[in-house]
Amino acid sequence: MTDHDALLRAVCSYPEDDTPRLILADYLDEIERPDEAAFVRSQIELARKQPWEPFAVFCRHRRPEWLP
């Protein structure tokens, strides 16, 4: 099993925990996949926001692909 596979398994095993996702994002940065890392971090941030906050509004209107 690769590191990437292990991290994905951890994300799936603990869906309510942000820690595996943040570790995955760091790993993606390390292997020079910054766009994917930014996507993961943005989804975490979006999940923490209220729907009326500016970042959530931005994502709904400008980045619909970031929505779960």
Side-chain angles (χ1 to χ4, degrees):
M1 177 181 301
T2 66
D3 289 342
H4 187 262
D5 292 339
L7 290 168
L8 287 178
R9 182 173 289 196
V11 167
C12 293
S13 295
Y14 303 98
E16 300 299 321
D17 188 359
D18 291 338
T19 304
R21 286 179 175 76
L22 292 170
I23 294 169
L24 174 62
D26 289 344
Y27 172 76
L28 291 169
D29 275 335
E30 288 176 12
I31 62 169
E32 299 182 9
R33 292 166 66 178
D35 291 340
E36 292 174 61
F39 175 79
V40 171
R41 288 188 183 102
S42 296
Q43 281 196 320
I44 292 168
E45 184 177 350
L46 180 59
R48 294 176 178 171
K49 299 289 182 188
Q50 296 296 328
W52 61 84
E53 290 189 28
F55 182 74
V57 172
F58 170 79
C59 289
R60 271 199 315 277
H61 296 286
R62 300 287 182 129
R63 298 290 185 154
E65 69 274 12
W66 286 0
L67 296 175

